[in-house]
């Protein structure tokens, strides 16, 4: 498998490394032989992809130390490679133990603290992947809050919404149905943005099946009730086609959520959704992207952002003085089971909600009100911060996540 096989527009935009095409690692293919023998086929491909990513990033980080000789570079590369294998083994063995413990035990305070430490370790591993995973009504409390906030709008007024990283459209249609079915008087316009042309095309067609699609390895319709199925779709044999009234008012846009020009194209929005895409970016990219996303929200509007490293979200919320919306805060935090159950062993896993933390409102809120001035203003500060961070990172060996 050539590392370039996994090239994807997401990788180009969200990661910050270049890779010399054609470079192969002998040790990687040995590792693949091992993987083929011990890992069931369902997870094998994923493991290989992760491995290739790990190698690419390790290699590029070492390559950044351009002042070093070539052999030193490759020695460092090997050390980091082996270190990552060891950490990976340690994390996997913990995962097996953890999954065999009763919930009552993993919920205990010391176990949670250990889980947090493990999750930090997992997130430090230099692996970030592109995923299209999505589903209809993925986080119902979050949709409910979007409806409640949109319900503050006057009769007959308009509502502009951006959904960034919309994947194959399930989030856009779920949101539109939730609002339009209860507030038919509102003129809702949605800007649905994704970096993948193929995903956007699929979303625009709006035809889904019960089975997994080429984009997601889970059924997107799994949590749609019978009533919702009738309301949202025209059934054509095995296929479910989104009803025309739900397709109205959507601008499908190919774009990068981190692009500062996005606000010029779409204008300020009443609500911006950036769910489950920032967790797949490296920390500096996620932070920069979140700042850009926040700048799309008009003063008095709302930012919905789940599926992101909590420390990054809290930091940006503070820097931009975003006000956490505490209505349904716990329900929304726990609203996407995939994020909850994947903690602590996946980097996107979400730690358990706890009001014992002094900063629980900021840390666990997925929805923020953007008040007056600052977002556009502080973009300058953003660029400076990013430059500093880049300088700091390039001064170290490896990726400082
Ligand atoms: C895991 S899916 C999340 C889909 C949906 N938001 C949800 O919550 O179900 C992430 C999506 O974000 C897109 N994406 C990743 N990076 C992006 C970027 N920088 N700009 C726009 N879209 C991006 C990917 O192509 C993918 O479709």
């Amino acid at each position: 498998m050539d590392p370039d096989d996994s090239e994807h527009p997401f990788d180009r935009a969200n990661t910050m490394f270049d890779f010399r095409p054609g470079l192969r690692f002998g040790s990687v293919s040995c590792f693949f032989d091992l993987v083929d023998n011990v890992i069931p086929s369902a997870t094998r491909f994923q493991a290989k992809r992760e491995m290739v990513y790990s190698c690419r990033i390790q290699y590029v980080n070492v390559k950044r130390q351009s002042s070093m000789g070539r052999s030193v570079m490759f020695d460092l590369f090997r050390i980091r490679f082996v270190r990552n294998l060891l950490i990976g083994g340690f994390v996997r063995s913990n995962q097996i133990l953890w999954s065999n413990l009763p919930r009552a035990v993993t919920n205990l305070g010391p176990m949670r603290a250990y889980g947090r430490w493990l999750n930090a370790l997992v997130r430090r591993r230099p692996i970030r992947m592109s995923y299209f995973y999505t589903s209809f009504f993925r986080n119902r409390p979050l949709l409910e809050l979007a409806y409640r906030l949109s319900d503050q709008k006057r009769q007959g007024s308009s509502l502009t919404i951006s959904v960034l990283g919309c994947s194959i459209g399930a989030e856009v249609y779920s949101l539109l149905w939730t609002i339009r079915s209860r507030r038919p008087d509102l003129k809702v316009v949605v800007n649905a943005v994704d970096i993948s042309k193929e995903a956007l095309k699929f979303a625009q067609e709006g035809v889904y099946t019960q089975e997994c699609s080429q984009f997601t390895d889970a059924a997107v319709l799994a949590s749609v009730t019978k009533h919702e199925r009738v309301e949202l779709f025209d059934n054509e044999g095995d296929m479910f086609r989104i009803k025309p009234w739900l397709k109205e008012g959507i601008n499908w846009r190919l774009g990068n959520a981190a692009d500062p020009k996005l606000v010029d194209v779409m204008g300020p929005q009443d609500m911006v959704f950036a769910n489950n895409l920032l967790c797949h970016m490296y920390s500096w990219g996620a932070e920069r992207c979140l700042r850009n996303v926040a700048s799309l929200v008009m003063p008095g509007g709302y930012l919905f952002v789940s599926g992101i490293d909590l420390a990054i979200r809290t930091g940006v919320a503070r820097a931009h003085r975003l006000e956490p919306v505490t209505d349904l805060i716990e329900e929304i935090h726990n609203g996407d089971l995939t994020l909850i159950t994947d903690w602590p062993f996946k980097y996107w896993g979400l730690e358990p909600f706890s009001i014992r933390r002094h900063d629980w409102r900021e840390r666990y809120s997925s929805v923020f009100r953007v008040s007056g001035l600052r977002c556009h203003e502080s973009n300058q500060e953003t660029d400076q911060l990013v430059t500093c961070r880049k300088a700091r990172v390039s001064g170290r060996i490896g990726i400082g996540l």
Side-chain angles (χ1 to χ4, degrees):
M1 185 178 175
D2 191 297
D4 273 5
D5 286 351
S6 55
E7 196 61 273
H8 178 277
F10 171 94
D11 308 329
R12 286 195 293 274
N14 297 340
T15 56
M16 290 175 150
F17 55 81
D18 62 316
F19 185 78
R20 258 188 307 168
L23 193 84
R24 284 162 200 280
F25 303 103
S27 49
V28 177
S29 52
C30 295
F31 176 76
F32 286 167
D33 293 342
L34 183 73
V35 166
D36 282 349
N37 290 325
V38 296
I39 299 183
S41 59
T43 50
R44 208 178 286 158
F45 177 69
Q46 183 71 0
K48 285 181 180 181
R49 254 188 108 191
E50 287 193 8
M51 202 56 228
V52 168
Y53 261 67
S54 177
C55 286
R56 289 172 67 172
I57 293 158
Q58 295 303 313
Y59 171 71
V60 171
N61 280 325
V62 172
K63 207 177 81 169
R64 280 202 189 122
Q65 317 303 311
S66 51
S67 56
M68 290 181 204
R70 205 177 156 79
S71 62
V72 179
M73 263 172 51
F74 276 94
D75 282 350
L76 281 173
F77 169 69
R78 275 194 210 105
I79 290 167
R80 295 187 67 81
F81 178 72
V82 170
R83 195 197 63 175
N84 271 306
L85 275 186
L86 292 176
I87 294 178
F90 174 73
V91 169
R92 252 168 242 132
S93 47
N94 269 275
Q95 190 168 5
I96 294 167
L97 289 173
W98 189 280
S99 60
N100 283 309
L101 290 173
R103 218 180 163 68
V105 175
T106 55
N107 273 343
L108 292 173
M111 285 302 282
R112 282 189 179 198
Y114 184 61
R116 272 197 295 278
W117 179 78
L118 275 175
N119 188 245
L121 195 64
V122 169
R123 278 188 283 107
R124 280 175 66 88
R125 296 187 69 207
I127 297 171
R128 287 290 185 273
M129 310 283 289
S130 50
Y131 288 96
F132 290 109
Y133 175 80
T134 188
S135 65
F136 279 85
F137 302 103
R138 183 169 179 175
N139 189 327
R140 284 181 185 272
L142 187 130
L143 292 171
E144 172 61 24
L145 183 59
Y147 159 70
R148 288 186 193 175
L149 296 174
S150 67
D151 199 31
Q152 295 169 353
K153 284 265 175 186
R154 263 177 292 141
Q155 191 75 12
S157 53
S158 59
L159 180 69
T160 49
I161 300 178
S162 272
V163 179
L164 306 171
C166 64
S167 184
I168 56 172
E171 186 182 13
V172 175
Y173 294 124
S174 306
L175 180 63
L176 266 175
W177 180 77
T178 304
I179 297 176
R180 277 192 184 150
S181 59
R182 294 204 260 172
R183 282 295 305 268
D185 59 293
L186 288 179
K187 297 180 194 75
V188 187
V189 175
V190 176
N191 290 295
V193 180
D194 202 280
I195 205 162
S196 158
K197 209 193 301 178
E198 291 74 26
L200 268 187
K201 194 163 167 266
F202 193 111
Q204 195 163 5
E205 277 170 20
V207 181
Y208 303 88
T209 57
Q210 297 271 33
E211 290 80 44
C212 307
S213 76
Q214 64 183 107
F215 286 94
T216 60
D217 53 7
V220 281
L221 298 176
S223 57
V224 183
T225 64
K226 259 188 193 162
H227 166 71
E228 288 161 350
R229 209 164 275 188
V230 173
E231 291 263 313
L232 270 93
F233 303 100
D234 290 322
N235 193 351
E236 303 168 0
D238 288 349
M239 295 189 303
F240 292 85
R241 184 181 292 279
I242 290 288
K243 296 207 172 192
W245 70 277
L246 279 174
K247 283 185 164 186
E248 279 167 21
I250 307 176
N251 304 311
W252 300 101
R253 296 180 191 277
L254 185 65
N256 182 349
D259 184 353
K261 293 196 200 89
L262 219 50
V263 69
D264 302 331
V265 180
M266 304 192 304
Q269 308 286 297
D270 290 303
M271 291 182 187
V272 174
F273 290 73
N275 294 321
N276 307 305
L277 74 149
L278 298 165
C279 57
H280 300 302
M281 298 180 188
Y282 293 97
S283 51
W284 59 75
E287 185 182 327
R288 194 173 66 153
C289 189
L290 181 56
R291 287 175 186 273
N292 189 52
V293 166
S295 74
L296 292 173
V297 186
M298 68 169 63
Y302 294 93
L303 172 65
F304 293 70
V305 56
S306 68
I308 178 175
D309 186 303
L310 300 186
I312 293 176
R313 187 173 66 187
T314 310
V316 173
R318 275 194 195 139
H320 287 256
R321 281 184 242 127
L322 305 176
E323 298 163 20
V325 176
T326 50
D327 191 12
L328 295 177
I329 183 171
E330 187 170 357
E331 290 84 348
I332 292 172
H333 182 87
N334 296 326
D336 184 349
L337 266 189
T338 53
L339 302 185
I340 299 295
T341 51
D342 283 344
W343 187 85
F345 296 103
K346 299 285 181 203
Y347 64 76
W348 57 81
L350 201 47
E351 70 183 38
F353 185 91
S354 164
I355 50 168
R356 289 210 192 122
R357 288 187 69 107
H358 71 281
D359 62 348
W360 66 271
R361 287 182 187 81
E362 279 166 316
R363 187 167 177 86
Y364 298 125
S365 179
S366 303
V367 185
F368 298 86
R369 184 171 182 277
V370 175
S371 54
L373 42 130
R374 29 89 328 258
C375 281
H376 299 273
E377 289 174 355
S378 53
N379 266 349
Q380 234 175 349
E381 177 207 23
T382 301
D383 289 337
Q384 281 164 8
L385 278 175
V386 168
T387 316
C388 290
R389 189 160 293 112
K390 270 188 201 164
R392 257 192 285 138
V393 168
S394 64
R396 287 207 299 255
I397 302 171
I399 222 151
L401 290 180

